[in-house]
Amino acid sequence: MSFRRFRSTPKTLGDVNVVTEELKNLYYKRLLPIERHYSFHHFHSPSYEDADFDNKPMVLVMGQYSTGKTTFIRYLIEQDFAGSRVGPEPTTDCFTALMYGEDEQTIPGNALTMDPKKPFRNLDPFGNSFLNRFQCVQMPNQLLESISIIDTPGILTAAKRKLSRGYDFPTVLRWFAERVDRIILLFDAHKLEFSDELTRAFGALCGHEDKLRVVLNKADRVDSQQLVRVYGSLMWSLGKVFRTPEILRVYIGSFWSEPRQMCDHYHLIELEEEDLLADIRNLPRNAAVRKLNDLVKRARLVRAHAHIISYLKQEMPTIFCKESKKHNLIYELPLIFTKIQQQHRVPAGDFPDCTKMQEKLLGQDFSKFKTLKSSLMASLDKLLTNDIANLVPLLQQQEQMKKSLPSVLDGEFLGTFRREQFREDPFKDIPKDEESSDAEFDEWIVEKYKPKYDEIFNNLSPHDGKLSGPKVKKWMTSTLLPNSVLAHIWRLSDVDGDGMLDNDEFALAVHLIEGKLEGYWLPKELPSHLVPPSKRLSTASDASE
Ligand code: MG
Ligand code: CA
């Protein structure tokens, strides 16, 4: 078999997820009762469910229109997906969750909130206007076996602001930000701008700076001097928005469906992209740490919230002037925050946004609030001091175990993105037995269909027995495979690397395309048995140099 079926290697980290199970227990036992008691879900965030703990690492991709979000995702997963039409206008104005599934299908938002296996059940409160703009695309894609990706609607630029979304966009973003492992924020180096909606979206990310990776995309379209300027102004703008701008990592990238343009910082872009992809590759390994981190963040917010609610309750008169007292309390909320911080030694950073809290409190009946329940608070303190600390050794142990396993994403993922690297070591991952019989290959599987392929080859009018890159590209594009896939096929097929395809190389290219169209996964390096016999000798001598 010339290709590997992507289903052949099911990978789960389930066996080693002791920490996740323990986190789940702690949440249900210690945190959830307090959240319920003080109506935390109404004010801040719906409760966690099993799926929030069990799901695969998720990557949220966001940015303004035409910064290359969808293209970036296609680059990651190497294929098109339903709703991936790319365009500068509001094309993807959906939230699209890309997840692994044996059968390709699109599940609409309303149905998604019913599925207990998916981590989207509590998106329900955002209502129909949001759910109509939310979908899940399932595909048998290899990368999606290890991580899920969320594509988001383009953030509106100033000029398009009049379009109303019909749902609270920043709040939805925050819901995702709380639950994902990575947030990739794309900017266009060629056209950097900061709109109001973007600034509001940043508000939703506050407190999750550790998950954020900023990509200055399309960096090959500007010269080095422009790039330095754009980089500087991006850092300055981000510094105004985020509390801890120093921890933000900004990558220079060029995730294009178009071939990358030659520029002074070409090599820098390559290194930066490798770094970013390595970061994404490591997500499954770091997932438990992320979950622990988020549970601690949440527990601290719950503690601050419990103090706020119980303080308000305690200040309310039992019979008279309830309404006017309530308004006074809301007005004095900033002061109350400070009081609680001092009295209960709760760090200011644990508190929610005061203005938002005031808005939410307006519609509440304060007399129904609960007073401070010391047993619940003691349980919460125990969670933050002992329980979490006890998990750390377990976590370290688990990390060790995972490190000894092969990374779930090494392999195709790595190979596809190391653009030139496979040339240096063309037989790297081939199993021993194949390697040893390398020299005695008698059959070239492509030979069987060669007359058919030769006919196409000749119709494209080759020059001196070879077809140039642009000619082949034009023909390849007609297959409608994504450019990133075609580029990979080109790299595999141009065996001698002369930038042209002779009839053998071309036949190989068509063979790979047919395989890909039939649903096979492309090999990351050309297996030796696929190397055209006419090229075998030269490749061998190259390798021995
Ligand atoms: Mg898009
Ligand atoms: Ca060639």
Side-chain angles (χ1 to χ4, degrees):
M1 181 59 59
S2 47
F3 298 92
R4 270 168 283 167
R5 268 280 183 199
F6 32 72
R7 278 175 216 171
S8 61
T9 47
K11 295 148 193 143
T12 53
L13 290 173
D15 336 334
V16 284
N17 280 340
V18 199
V19 176
T20 308
E21 282 308 307
E22 191 50 33
L23 283 175
K24 220 191 272 184
N25 283 338
L26 288 176
Y27 176 73
Y28 292 132
K29 208 171 83 192
R30 299 223 188 277
L31 208 50
L32 187 59
I34 313 175
E35 291 184 6
R36 290 210 176 110
H37 196 69
Y38 296 105
S39 325
F40 179 86
H41 306 142
H42 173 79
F43 287 93
H44 305 288
S45 163
S47 63
Y48 279 160
E49 297 199 342
D50 278 359
D52 288 311
F53 294 96
D54 297 334
N55 66 358
K56 288 169 190 165
M58 289 199 281
V59 179
L60 181 72
V61 181
M62 54 182 283
Q64 283 177 316
Y65 277 114
S66 67
T67 46
K69 292 178 295 299
T70 307
T71 313
F72 175 73
I73 295 172
R74 288 204 306 197
Y75 198 87
L76 285 182
I77 63 171
E78 275 205 304
Q79 70 176 96
D80 268 313
F81 54 95
S84 71
R85 198 161 74 86
V86 176
E89 287 308 306
T91 44
T92 329
D93 80 330
C94 254
F95 280 82
T96 304
L98 297 167
M99 303 183 95
Y100 182 82
E102 295 271 312
D103 303 304
E104 204 156 315
Q105 59 169 321
T106 303
I107 309 162
N110 273 300
L112 274 176
T113 61
M114 302 291 168
D115 185 347
K117 290 239 169 66
K118 296 220 162 52
F120 306 119
R121 288 227 300 187
N122 43 35
L123 272 167
D124 208 36
F126 292 111
N128 262 333
S129 48
F130 167 71
L131 293 175
N132 290 336
R133 303 221 159 272
F134 178 46
Q135 59 175 1
C136 173
V137 175
Q138 283 191 351
M139 293 183 288
N141 180 288
Q142 188 156 13
L143 176 67
L144 296 177
E145 278 186 53
S146 316
I147 59 174
S148 303
I149 304 174
I150 320 279
D151 193 8
T152 60
I155 293 168
L156 303 172
T157 51
K160 289 178 186 129
R161 255 199 61 210
K162 278 171 219 123
L163 280 165
S164 162
R165 291 190 189 273
Y167 60 89
D168 187 350
F169 183 63
T171 313
V172 173
L173 275 182
R174 188 166 59 235
W175 187 94
F176 279 106
E178 277 170 9
R179 283 163 178 81
V180 300
D181 297 71
R182 268 292 166 273
I183 303 166
I184 306 283
L185 180 57
L186 291 159
F187 286 96
D188 186 340
H190 197 52
K191 214 176 67 188
L192 188 69
E193 52 182 339
F194 278 77
S195 67
D196 289 3
E197 192 176 54
L198 187 65
T199 315
R200 273 199 302 277
F202 284 152
L205 305 182
C206 275
H208 298 290
E209 287 90 343
D210 55 324
K211 297 178 181 178
L212 193 59
R213 299 290 182 270
V214 180
V215 179
L216 197 48
N217 202 14
K218 310 188 186 179
D220 59 331
R221 294 295 160 112
V222 295
D223 64 33
S224 296
Q225 202 183 359
Q226 283 169 305
L227 183 66
V228 172
R229 271 195 219 122
V230 172
Y231 191 93
S233 87
L234 176 67
M235 289 312 278
W236 185 77
S237 306
L238 291 173
K240 283 197 300 182
V241 184
F242 291 105
R243 278 184 260 177
T244 46
E246 66 280 358
I247 66 165
L248 290 181
R249 171 76 162 91
V250 178
Y251 294 86
I252 312 291
S254 166
F255 295 98
W256 273 103
S257 47
E258 296 290 308
R260 184 180 305 166
Q261 286 182 0
M262 211 49 215
C263 55
D264 302 343
H265 42 275
Y266 188 91
H267 187 57
L268 176 69
I269 293 179
E270 287 207 320
L271 293 176
E272 290 274 289
E273 287 187 357
E274 286 226 356
D275 272 7
L276 176 62
L277 297 165
D279 179 73
I280 295 175
R281 248 184 343 257
N282 275 322
L283 287 178
R285 278 183 186 162
N286 302 328
V289 183
R290 193 279 298 172
K291 282 174 194 156
L292 184 126
N293 213 10
D294 279 353
L295 192 72
V296 173
K297 272 188 220 167
R298 188 175 173 109
R300 298 174 77 109
L301 179 61
V302 170
R303 181 172 61 183
H305 176 78
H307 282 297
I308 298 165
I309 295 297
S310 54
Y311 183 94
L312 296 175
K313 166 75 180 176
Q314 169 205 314
E315 290 295 305
M316 283 301 279
T318 37
I319 310 168
F320 299 112
C321 310
K322 283 189 181 174
E323 214 41 32
S324 67
K325 181 67 182 174
K326 172 179 153 181
H327 283 98
N328 277 343
L329 285 170
I330 293 177
Y331 180 73
E332 288 170 4
L333 200 63
L335 209 71
I336 295 173
F337 276 19
T338 320
K339 262 190 202 167
I340 297 172
Q341 284 158 25
Q342 289 165 352
Q343 251 174 40
H344 299 278
R345 295 168 173 255
V346 183
D350 292 359
F351 277 70
D353 184 278
C354 194
T355 321
K356 279 212 190 80
M357 193 70 190
Q358 285 171 316
E359 280 168 22
K360 294 250 168 169
L361 283 170
L362 271 174
Q364 297 291 308
D365 179 357
F366 286 17
S367 53
K368 288 202 177 114
F369 286 171
K370 305 279 171 48
T371 51
L372 204 62
K373 200 170 167 188
S374 54
S375 63
L376 282 179
M377 297 312 280
S379 172
L380 182 54
D381 280 336
K382 186 165 181 300
L383 172 77
L384 281 168
T385 50
N386 301 350
D387 297 341
I388 298 287
N390 289 342
L391 268 182
V392 174
L394 200 61
L395 189 67
Q396 283 162 347
Q397 212 178 327
Q398 180 174 307
E399 293 306 297
Q400 280 320 105
M401 277 169 76
K402 280 192 193 168
K403 266 181 205 136
S404 62
L405 297 171
S407 163
V408 284
L409 289 171
D410 288 346
E412 309 303 344
F413 189 58
L414 186 69
T416 316
F417 288 109
R418 300 220 159 159
R419 292 164 196 245
E420 265 80 44
Q421 210 140 16
F422 66 91
R423 290 226 172 276
E424 292 161 17
D425 187 6
F427 300 117
K428 209 168 120 201
D429 266 14
I430 306 293
K432 278 276 172 299
D433 52 345
E434 258 180 81
E435 212 167 359
S436 57
S437 60
D438 184 16
E440 294 91 42
F441 261 87
D442 36 19
E443 202 191 343
W444 187 41
I445 191 162
V446 184
E447 198 65 58
K448 213 166 129 191
Y449 313 97
K450 187 95 186 330
K452 190 177 85 186
Y453 300 154
D454 279 347
E455 204 184 312
I456 310 173
F457 181 80
N458 290 323
N459 279 340
L460 292 170
S461 44
H463 188 71
D464 283 343
K466 287 177 175 186
L467 283 172
S468 67
K471 258 188 193 168
V472 175
K473 192 187 167 190
K474 205 171 155 211
W475 178 81
M476 276 179 153
T477 317
S478 69
T479 62
L480 298 179
L481 283 168
N483 278 336
S484 59
V485 172
L486 294 177
H488 183 52
I489 290 175
W490 169 270
R491 287 190 295 267
L492 291 175
S493 318
D494 184 13
V495 181
D496 56 14
D498 66 348
M500 318 263 263
L501 298 188
D502 62 19
N503 62 349
D504 281 346
E505 290 173 326
F506 182 78
L508 174 62
V510 187
H511 180 73
L512 292 170
I513 287 173
E514 285 186 340
K516 183 75 193 175
L517 289 173
E518 279 166 28
Y520 289 96
W521 194 259
L522 283 174
K524 110 175 136 171
E525 293 142 12
L526 195 63
S528 43
H529 67 271
L530 277 182
V531 178
S534 61
K535 297 285 187 293
R536 274 176 202 166
L537 227 137
S538 62
T539 316
S541 66
D542 280 354
S544 63
E545 265 169 29

